[in-house]
Amino acid sequence: MAINFDKLPQENPFSLPEPGLYKATIEDAEMRHNKNDATKPPYLNMKYKLTDMQGKSKGVMFDIIAESDSSVVGYKIARFCRACGLPLQGSIELSDLAKIVKNKEILVDVKIDDSDKRYVKAVVD
């Protein structure tokens, strides 16, 4: 295939969503293990399809919930479960949560994380 240098994009077609509130459909949710450190606990990796409040597509983003006893992680899990309409009683494994959240529609507050200047990303606030 010939490359036409006259028609190559001059700007990056990838863009981050603007900070703000979005509707998010959980397109995928699966447990994963850290590839670089097998001693770290598994985590729930989710792919969200974002739309604005008028239903216009705003791309995709990924979110992670790690297995942890941290109160910060517990707070994130509680907010996530409320957003999904799941009851907050009893107990459940994070791996089971992965099975029941697919295709749920939630609201997410997106912010831009630029703490690592090499890899600026959109994250759930």
Side-chain angles (χ1 to χ4, degrees):
M1 179 176 121
I3 299 172
N4 184 342
F5 290 103
D6 296 327
K7 293 190 177 185
L8 291 177
Q10 298 302 309
E11 293 184 23
N12 187 345
F14 171 77
S15 64
L16 296 173
E18 292 291 322
L21 198 59
Y22 293 88
K23 292 179 185 178
T25 302
I26 304 169
E27 288 193 325
D28 194 21
E30 65 181 358
M31 293 301 294
R32 292 194 179 167
H33 296 276
N34 189 304
K35 295 175 187 172
N36 300 323
D37 187 350
T39 64
K40 290 190 175 184
Y43 60 91
L44 175 58
N45 187 70
M46 294 174 288
K47 178 182 176 183
Y48 301 148
K49 178 181 176 192
L50 301 178
T51 59
D52 64 17
M53 295 306 150
Q54 291 74 39
K56 183 178 178 186
S57 177
K58 293 296 180 176
V60 299
M61 69 179 286
F62 294 87
D63 192 19
I64 290 174
I65 299 176
E67 286 188 353
S68 172
D69 292 331
S70 161
S71 60
V72 172
V73 173
Y75 177 73
K76 182 175 180 171
I77 291 171
R79 290 193 40 122
F80 178 74
C81 288
R82 279 190 206 99
C84 289
L86 302 175
L88 294 175
Q89 57 190 28
S91 63
I92 187 171
E93 295 291 327
L94 194 58
S95 58
D96 292 330
L97 189 59
K99 298 172 189 173
I100 60 176
V101 297
K102 286 183 184 177
N103 299 315
K104 294 268 187 191
E105 188 174 284
I106 61 175
L107 292 178
V108 294
D109 192 6
V110 174
K111 72 176 186 176
I112 303 303
D113 178 2
D114 61 359
S115 58
D116 182 347
K117 299 298 181 195
R118 297 170 295 149
Y119 184 65
V120 177
K121 60 185 175 181
V123 296
V124 175
D125 191 6

